[in-house]
Amino acid sequence: MASADAELKGKHRKMWASGDYPSMVETFLLPLGPRLVEACGIGPGMKVLDVAAGTGNASIPAAKTGAEVTASDLTPELFDAGRERAKAEGVELEWVEADAENLPFEDGAYDVVISSIGAMFAPHHQEVADELVRVCKPGGKIGLLSWTPEGQIGGFFKTMGPFAPPPPPGAQPPPLWGSEDHIDELFGDRVDWQTLERDLLEITAFEKPRDWGEHFKQRYGPTIAARANAEKEGRADEFDKAIDDFCDEWNQGKADDARFEMEYLLAVGTRE
Ligand SMILES: C[S@@+](CC[C@H](N)C(=O)[O-])C[C@H]1O[C@@H](n2cnc3c(N)ncnc32)[C@H](O)[C@@H]1O
């Protein structure tokens, strides 16, 4: 069982290290980290854990407030870009390889535990929620920013689903973390949610709508994995058409001046 899980996590690590996730952060995801940090009221001297931190999109702005930050992630390959950005921003933080389903940290070790579009990608949601609660001290804060099932990334995962390799047993779809009901089920009365609100990330970085899809096909691990599987099944053209259609459908701008609005759920609460 343990070796099956290690094999699964090894595959996930390889997937997230593929492509070029750091460049996606720089192109359009950067506003998310500071939004989460601000919503959690992170400040000087607080001990903060960022779970599935990637290149530190939330960890770095948290460290800039004077907090003592640990950035943890399954994919340490992403830390190099994070370290470079932290250096450029003049902050120091700790980078730790860690699976969100089995965190290598003590009970109640952190004042604030956050995850920006991160912990949602570990396959076993209840295990992740239990770990987030465990490492947060009673009276501390848990803050999560997650793509919603009804928003653009929720729709994107639905579009990619039929082409992707079958999910592992017991895995739940990542965008479920963007559902208020799912959050309630996962955390029960262990967290008192003060903020549970949906908002939009506006994206104007792409000229043509289909440039969004090309960007994901070249850089985003889950899209690279789904397309590779489609190719193996002789369905690469079908996949490309589905992604093109998806981009046209979700474009809120013009044909030569694309604009997208990606919905997320911001959840911030106190650990009881
Ligand atoms: C979309 S990225 C988000 C990264 C970062 N938090 C941000 O806001 O840019 C998803 C991250 O989840 C990480 N991840 C996936 N499965 C994980 C797991 N089981 N445990 C910890 N991190 C995981 C990936 O390595 C990747 O860095």
Side-chain angles (χ1 to χ4, degrees):
M1 211 42 200
S3 67
D5 191 60
E7 194 185 321
L8 173 67
K9 298 299 165 51
K11 265 194 212 159
H12 286 180
R13 172 177 170 178
K14 215 167 139 195
M15 180 181 84
W16 285 106
S18 70
D20 187 358
Y21 184 73
S23 72
M24 302 185 79
V25 176
E26 302 299 325
T27 306
F28 66 95
L29 291 168
L30 269 184
L32 296 180
R35 284 186 201 176
L36 178 60
V37 169
E38 195 188 334
C40 293
I42 291 173
M46 291 182 187
K47 269 197 88 182
V48 176
L49 174 66
D50 186 2
V51 176
T55 59
N57 193 3
S59 318
I60 292 170
K64 282 177 83 173
T65 70
E68 191 188 317
V69 181
T70 302
S72 69
D73 199 281
L74 183 71
T75 312
E77 288 83 348
L78 298 173
F79 293 167
D80 288 345
R83 285 194 183 98
E84 244 177 67
R85 207 158 65 75
K87 197 171 161 203
E89 300 272 355
V91 288
E92 272 187 32
L93 37 141
E94 190 187 15
W95 300 88
V96 178
E97 181 178 340
D99 180 356
E101 296 179 1
N102 187 16
L103 293 169
F105 308 113
E106 299 289 324
D107 295 2
Y110 293 94
D111 302 310
V112 187
V113 178
I114 54 174
S115 191
S116 153
I117 56 167
M120 62 182 294
F121 290 101
H124 305 107
H125 296 189
Q126 192 61 61
E127 289 175 28
V128 174
D130 293 351
E131 283 294 82
L132 299 179
V133 170
R134 184 184 65 75
V135 300
C136 185
K137 75 170 191 201
K141 283 249 155 72
I142 294 184
L144 306 167
L145 193 152
S146 312
W147 301 123
T148 65
E150 298 79 10
Q152 187 171 347
I153 293 291
F156 192 50
F157 272 86
K158 272 188 211 118
T159 300
M160 292 193 294
F163 299 95
Q172 291 180 291
L176 264 186
W177 279 84
S179 142
E180 295 83 352
D181 288 347
H182 191 61
I183 292 290
D184 265 349
E185 272 168 38
L186 290 176
F187 291 93
D189 56 11
R190 297 179 297 172
V191 178
D192 176 19
W193 299 105
Q194 285 102 38
T195 302
L196 211 48
E197 57 192 37
R198 293 182 179 218
D199 207 340
L200 298 169
L201 174 70
E202 186 182 61
I203 295 164
T204 53
F206 302 101
E207 189 191 334
K208 304 246 171 15
R210 294 178 184 187
D211 294 346
W212 187 97
E214 288 306 316
H215 188 84
F216 275 72
K217 282 199 290 189
Q218 285 164 20
R219 294 172 167 81
Y220 193 55
T223 309
I224 292 168
R227 193 178 190 283
N229 195 57
E231 201 160 14
K232 206 171 77 189
E233 294 174 353
R235 299 168 67 206
D237 289 348
E238 204 190 315
F239 180 84
D240 291 342
K241 181 173 183 328
I243 302 300
D244 283 350
D245 291 349
F246 174 88
C247 294
D248 294 344
E249 186 193 329
W250 284 84
N251 177 30
Q252 313 274 314
K254 300 186 190 129
D256 58 356
D257 187 13
R259 186 172 62 82
F260 297 97
E261 291 177 347
M262 299 185 11
E263 189 186 55
Y264 58 84
L265 176 71
L266 181 64
V268 181
T270 306
R271 187 242 203 257
E272 296 288 322

